[in-house]
Amino acid sequence: APRPPPREGLDYPGRMTISPGTNFDDPRFRDDERTPVQRMRDGDYYIADDELSALTRRAVRLLSLYEQAHPTDPDIARYLLAQVLGQVGESVDIRPPLRVDYGYNISIGNGSWVNYGLTVLDVAQVVIGKDVLIGPNCSLYTAIHPTEPGPRRAKWESAAPITLEDNVWLGGSVVVCPGVTIGENSIIGAGAVVTRDIPANCIAVGNPARVIKNLDPTTPRTLEAAGVGVIPHGHTGEQE
């Protein structure tokens, strides 16, 4: 279902609907007839209930079967993956283990490849474009918890979507935070923590991730790993 129009609010402007200092125990919440699942899908604050817990358990069970089938039966593995994720493109390979909250909020485009150990907290939509490369042990976090201690203790939470546009490459152990879009062709160096949008056609590294180099996709160039922390083949890495 399409998400509602952006609205003002806490931590991620344009996504949340509650301003800092709001009392969560007020009629706007007590009198809301929506279920927690509906509130979550609308991008509002919610408290997880049995229905959401059941959806998580379903995803965990199916991904356990996916992990068993992946090495020996690719057809069964792909069928199981399609039962968990919202959309799976052609020629997609995700090496298990894969960990998700729900799965159905995730779409992944044609030709994308994911190495071992991806974690996706898909409370909001996570869009992975075409020909995306994701290194081992990466994490995509859409979940948001209130900054006020009281609502956080009461287990209120919400989320903001993540988008990886076509041909993005995430190095190993990259963390992408709620509300982030990484532009087409961009590369995120290993170990980076991406807290803000990264434009297309650049290399970003560090915590928080910052752009260190712009890429020109129209200029032919030799294959290289320079600038993303990879030592070229045959080079010891020592100073010459």
Side-chain angles (χ1 to χ4, degrees):
R3 297 184 69 84
R7 291 176 285 182
E8 292 290 333
L10 177 64
D11 289 342
Y12 289 83
R15 297 305 315 168
M16 299 300 97
T17 61
I18 302 169
S19 299
T22 296
N23 177 5
F24 281 66
D25 184 23
D26 69 24
R28 288 182 299 167
F29 300 97
R30 294 197 304 269
D31 299 337
D32 192 331
E33 296 181 355
R34 291 174 298 169
T35 67
V37 172
Q38 291 169 330
R39 291 186 60 85
M40 184 188 79
R41 290 174 177 170
D42 289 344
D44 290 338
Y45 276 93
Y46 69 96
I47 295 176
D49 64 353
D50 290 344
E51 182 180 4
L52 286 169
S53 296
L55 291 171
T56 297
R57 290 195 300 271
R58 174 186 181 275
V60 169
R61 287 195 301 270
L62 290 172
L63 287 177
S64 178
L65 296 173
Y66 171 75
E67 185 169 351
Q68 296 175 51
H70 187 271
T72 58
D73 197 331
D75 290 336
I76 293 297
R78 181 174 176 82
Y79 170 79
L80 290 167
L81 188 65
Q83 300 307 302
V84 178
L85 304 189
Q87 182 175 346
V88 182
E90 296 296 325
S91 302
V92 167
D93 187 15
I94 301 178
R95 290 183 171 184
L98 169 65
R99 302 289 183 256
V100 304
D101 267 342
Y102 307 110
Y104 58 79
N105 285 322
I106 302 168
S107 64
I108 182 166
N110 297 342
S112 289
W113 188 85
V114 179
N115 216 322
Y116 305 106
L118 175 64
T119 296
V120 186
L121 303 187
D122 61 312
V123 180
Q125 289 183 329
V126 175
V127 177
I128 300 171
K130 300 176 183 177
D131 301 308
V132 171
L133 300 178
I134 298 180
N137 300 315
C138 287
S139 300
L140 310 179
Y141 300 150
T142 70
I144 299 170
H145 301 279
T147 55
E148 299 100 330
R152 189 168 66 251
R153 190 186 300 272
K155 312 306 181 188
W156 287 98
E157 59 183 300
S158 190
I162 288 173
T163 300
L164 309 181
E165 295 184 352
D166 294 350
N167 205 35
V168 162
W169 172 20
L170 303 185
S173 300
V174 167
V175 174
V176 181
C177 292
V180 164
T181 294
I182 299 176
E184 186 174 5
N185 300 323
S186 285
I187 300 169
I188 310 298
V193 178
V194 188
T195 61
R196 297 180 180 275
D197 290 354
I198 300 296
N201 303 310
C202 66
I203 297 173
V205 301
N207 180 8
R210 67 194 188 282
V211 174
I212 61 168
K213 184 176 182 180
N214 292 316
L215 302 173
D216 184 353
T218 66
T219 303
R221 56 195 304 138
T222 58
L223 290 175
E224 61 179 0
V228 292
V230 179
I231 299 174
H233 180 69
H235 194 282
T236 64
E238 297 177 356
Q239 295 289 338
E240 298 180 356

